[in-house]
Amino acid sequence: MGIRKIMTVKEPCLHKVCRPVEKFDKKLHKLLDDMKETLVDANGVGLAAPQVGILRRVVVVDTGEEILELVNPELLETSGEQVGSEGCLSVPGKYGIVKRPNYAKVRAYDRDGNEFEVEGEELMARCFCHELDHLDGIVYTEIMERYLTDEELNEEA
Ligand code: ZN
């Protein structure tokens, strides 16, 4: 187990398309364990492997009840729309206004290679879309409408 260093948006690894996981082996399990520990330590909602410098399609998401492990996730379905503030562990201290679907259904594999589907609304849909974007090298700052102003930040705090 170990907490990994979270890369910031300046690092090239945040801007590359990640490769699918092919082997569901001990190395993957260690990566998932470390990512979960790193997410909890950083108080985040989601973390994608490229944020810790690994260019593989792996994501962890804290649903509030458990930490989901999504390997090779794919968006199956989205609907609706939400416009709201969004942050990223790789963009510390900032928040932006981002338009996302209000509902998202994702197909993924667990750490042993078993396929499953998961769906979410509102924050979870936003989080799935945000994390899956990371796997294609997209950071929310590239698709946001604008950053929140200091005044708006103070209101949220
Ligand atoms: Zn992020």
Side-chain angles (χ1 to χ4, degrees):
M1 300 282 277
I3 292 167
R4 302 210 183 183
K5 182 173 180 273
I6 298 176
M7 306 290 172
T8 66
V9 70
K10 293 180 203 110
E11 305 288 336
C13 59
L14 267 295
H15 307 280
K16 302 234 162 88
V17 175
C18 298
R19 295 183 307 274
V21 168
E22 280 153 14
K23 288 183 198 156
F24 293 80
D25 57 5
K26 276 190 187 146
K27 211 174 150 192
L28 174 68
H29 295 182
K30 167 91 171 109
L31 173 65
L32 283 162
D33 289 341
D34 286 358
M35 283 175 64
K36 284 160 87 168
E37 205 178 327
T38 305
L39 178 68
V40 170
D41 180 68
N43 239 324
V45 183
L47 185 70
Q51 293 182 274
V52 294
I54 305 291
L55 294 176
R56 289 286 181 180
R57 304 188 80 82
V58 177
V59 160
V60 292
V61 170
D62 188 350
T63 67
E65 286 166 9
E66 58 172 332
I67 301 181
L68 283 175
E69 303 177 348
L70 306 175
V71 179
N72 297 342
E74 259 180 88
L75 265 182
L76 286 185
E77 200 184 317
T78 60
S79 67
E81 193 180 287
Q82 56 174 321
V83 179
S85 67
E86 190 164 317
C88 179
L89 294 174
S90 295
V91 191
K94 296 204 170 185
Y95 293 87
I97 302 287
V98 189
K99 189 196 286 182
R100 298 285 189 187
N102 197 51
Y103 166 86
K105 186 197 264 188
V106 173
R107 179 175 59 210
Y109 297 84
D110 68 14
R111 59 169 60 206
D112 299 312
N114 303 302
E115 189 182 303
F116 67 98
E117 287 181 10
V118 60
E119 53 182 3
E121 290 183 328
E122 297 172 9
L123 176 64
M124 274 306 109
R126 177 175 292 283
C127 188
F128 290 147
C129 294
H130 176 115
E131 298 310 329
L132 267 62
D133 271 357
H134 273 305
L135 304 181
D136 290 322
I138 299 164
V139 178
Y140 83 84
T141 51
E142 294 165 50
I143 57 164
M144 70 177 177
E145 291 176 8
R146 59 174 177 85
Y147 278 119
L148 257 66
T149 62
D150 288 345
E151 215 167 57
E152 287 169 319
L153 270 178
N154 288 336
E155 275 169 29
E156 294 224 338

